[in-house]
Structure formats: structure tokens, C-alpha cells
């Protein structure tokens, strides 16, 4: 009989090898025992971004963490599409939303960039990473998006890899529709802050041979809406559709 899919799925940062028990951290131990009321012997899927996904059984449950025994691999590791999202930091809950949705929509790297009109002073990377992990656990990804060091936009562009098109979401309507420009292969999307890009930035971007303005239509979207819409359009046109969500 086909086994039902386990209801528990967690990211760990240790190797997954048959017969080598994995100790979870305290938060995951609490999640398994107190929140999900898991039982000894129950199945949990683990992934670590390297070894694919493994079916594991709970061997021990304690406040300090759980012990899980890897049984067999359920999915081999596969790469995500090579898609980066550069996004100006937004207010806290909106940044959380972008982190969560960018993970679900398959970005390989999330890169907070400070633009001239960004009015948020710093990024809470720990909080952001927690959102990336939670979203990856929930959406059945096999990897966590890389969280790149937040930097000023011009710093991010210095040393830009020439083979990676930078499609910047331009609310001024100057660019072609994103759906016409998106193509398979390495790519990056750049979304501006609440206040948009200023003319100096548009000029600076226009000079870069790898950068192209793209449009999402005649309406001005909030930055977080623009990020999600752009990722969905890019994935629809250029993403990997060879496999279903479960490989
Ligand atoms: N305050 C600005 C709008 C900023 S919208 C103004 O009034 O003009 C925030 C970001 O979302 C923009 O910088 C852009 O990157 C993106 N965006 C919003 N609507 C868009 C559209 N129709 N096409 C492309 N990008 C868009």
C-alpha cells in the first residue's frame, strides 16, 4: 500500500546518511514534541540542501531536541532554477512576505539591496533566514535560498557577472513586458523600494550592458506585489517545468 506522505518536514544542516542519527536543535525539538505532538517512530522528512530528501523516524524526543534516524532517500538533490531576486528592503512584515514568497516561487538567491529611496536602515538577516527556512520546509523545496549580504545597489552591481541578465522592474513603463524578455538560464530580477527608483539610478542601470528595464503592465504595484508577480511570470516563461513539485 502507498504510504501517506509524512506531515512533518524539516531543514537540518548536517549530512543525511543512512544509519547516522540526526540531532535536531531545540526549536525543532519543541516544534515536534509540543507543537505537532509527534510520537516516537513517526516519520519526518529531512533535507539539508545537499543530500536530497530523506525519510527519517523519530528515535527520541526531548526538550533539548529530537533524534531522527534516516531510513532512505525519498528524492535526490536537484538544482533550483538559477534565479536571483534583488529587492530593496521594505517594512518588516512586507520583507517577511517577500522572503516567504520568493522561496515558494523558486529563487536561488535573495539579495537585499539598498537603493537611493530605500527608507529602511538595516535588514534583520536572522529573521529573514528563519522565513526562508520555514517556507522551504513547507513548499517542499530541497534547498534554502542563499541570503546574500545586504549592500548598496551600486556595490551589488560592481563585479556583476556579465552572463547574468539583470531585469530591473521599472515602474515608469520604459521596458518591454517581462514575459517577452524572460528566458531560461541565469537571471536576476531587481525590484525597487516603496518610493521607486530615482532618475539617477535609471541612468546608472541604463549604462550597464547586462541590465534591461522590464514592465509588469500599466498599474503601479506595491514592491512586494511586483516581486511576486515578476517571479511568477519568470517561472511561467523560463522556469523548470520538467518535473512536478515532488520530482
Ligand atoms: N512610488 C513609486 C512606485 C514604486 S513601486 C511611484 O509612485 O512611481 C515599487 C517597485 O515595484 C518599483 O520600483 C518597481 O521595481 C516595481 N513595480 C511596481 N509596479 C511596476 C510595474 N507596473 N512594472 C514594473 N515594475 C513595477
Amino acid at each position: 500500500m502507498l504510504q501517506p506522505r509524512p506531515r512533518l518536514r524539516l531543514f537540518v544542516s548536517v549530512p543525511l546518511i543512512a544509519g547516522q542519527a540526526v540531532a535536531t536543535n531545540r526549536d525543532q525539538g519543541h516544534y515536534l514534541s509540543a507543537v505537532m505532538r509527534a510520537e516516537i517512530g513517526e516519520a519526518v522528512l529531512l533535507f539539508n540542501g545537499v543530500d536530497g530528501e530523506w525519510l527519517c523516524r523519530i528515535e527520541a524526543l526531548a526538550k533539548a531536541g529530537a533524534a531522527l534516524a534516516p531510513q532512505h532517500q525519498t528524492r535526490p538533490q536537484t538544482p533550483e532554477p538559477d534565479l536571483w531576486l534583488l529587492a530593496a528592503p521594505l517594512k518588516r512584515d512586507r520583507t517577511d512576505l517577500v522572503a516567504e514568497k520568493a522561496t515558494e516561487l523558486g529563487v536561488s538567491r535573495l539579495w537585499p539591496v539598498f537603493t537611493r529611496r530605500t527608507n529602511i536602515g538595516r535588514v534583520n538577516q536572522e529573521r529573514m533566514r528563519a522565513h526562508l527556512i520555514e517556507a522551504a520546509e513547507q513548499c517542499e523545496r530541497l534547498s534554502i535560498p542563499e541570503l546574500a549580504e545586504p549592500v548598496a545597489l551600486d556595490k551589488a552591481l560592481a563585479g556583476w557577472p556579465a552572463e547574468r541578465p539583470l531585469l530591473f522592474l521599472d515602474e515608469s513603463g520604459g521596458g518591454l513586458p517581462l514575459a517577452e524578455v524572460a528566458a531560461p538560464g541565469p537571471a536576476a530580477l531587481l525590484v525597487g523600494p516603496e518610493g521607486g527608483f530615482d532618475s539617477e539610478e535609471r541612468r546608472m542601470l541604463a549604462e550597464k550592458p547586462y541590465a534591461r528595464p522590464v514592465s509588469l503592465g500599466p498599474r503601479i504595484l506595491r514592491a512586494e506585489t511586483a516581486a511576486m508577480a515578476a517571479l511568477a511570470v519568470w517561472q511561467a516563461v523560463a522556469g523548470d517545468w520538467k518535473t512536478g513539485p515532488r520530482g
Side-chain angles (χ1 to χ4, degrees):
M1 205 178 76
L2 212 62
Q3 293 294 312
R5 211 171 153 79
R7 63 187 179 119
L8 303 166
R9 190 169 189 273
L10 292 173
F11 173 77
V12 292
S13 38
V14 295
L16 293 168
I17 300 163
Q20 192 170 307
V22 172
T24 73
N25 63 30
R26 184 175 278 270
D27 287 351
Q28 291 171 328
H30 173 81
Y31 169 77
L32 290 174
S33 56
V35 181
M36 298 306 287
R37 305 219 172 269
E39 287 169 7
I40 303 287
E42 188 168 348
V44 182
L45 294 170
L46 294 186
F47 66 107
N48 62 5
V50 183
D51 297 318
E53 181 187 71
W54 282 70
L55 186 113
C56 306
R57 299 257 168 225
I58 300 177
E59 277 189 335
L61 274 173
K63 270 216 173 118
L68 300 168
Q71 312 278 297
H72 61 264
Q73 195 190 52
T74 48
R75 292 157 66 196
Q77 192 70 34
T78 47
E80 296 294 331
D82 190 0
L83 177 61
W84 296 0
L85 175 66
L86 280 69
L90 307 170
K91 289 195 201 88
R92 208 161 74 155
D93 51 342
R94 292 178 187 271
T95 288
D96 292 348
L97 190 72
V98 170
E100 179 180 295
K101 301 310 169 199
T103 306
E104 293 175 41
L105 289 163
V107 303
S108 57
R109 169 191 273 211
L110 180 58
W111 198 349
V113 291
F114 295 97
T115 62
R116 292 162 69 99
R117 292 189 184 150
T118 300
N119 52 7
I120 303 292
R122 67 175 281 276
V123 175
N124 185 338
Q125 290 185 72
E126 205 180 311
R127 183 183 165 100
M128 213 174 200
R129 195 167 147 76
H131 280 281
L132 299 177
I133 292 175
E134 198 179 318
E137 288 173 342
Q138 178 270 328
C139 79
E140 307 203 353
R141 274 180 72 132
L142 293 170
S143 66
I144 310 296
E146 177 201 349
L147 180 58
E149 186 68 28
V151 290
L153 177 59
D154 50 359
K155 274 238 178 83
L157 300 186
W160 185 264
E163 73 286 357
R164 181 178 300 272
L166 176 67
L167 309 177
F168 83 90
L169 278 293
D170 185 359
E171 71 274 18
S172 75
L176 287 171
L178 172 59
E180 282 178 26
V181 177
L189 298 165
L190 167 64
V191 182
E194 235 173 281
F197 292 110
D198 77 0
S199 50
E200 180 96 359
E201 281 167 335
R202 281 207 182 80
R203 234 187 345 265
M204 193 244 310
L205 285 161
E207 283 168 8
K208 310 287 185 199
Y210 51 78
R212 283 185 83 170
V214 289
S215 172
L216 289 171
R219 289 160 299 274
I220 301 290
L221 310 175
R222 297 197 71 129
E224 66 277 17
T225 315
M228 290 183 237
L231 291 169
V233 167
W234 192 92
Q235 290 288 14
V237 174
D240 184 1
W241 291 90
K242 285 198 292 284
T243 57
R246 285 168 188 175

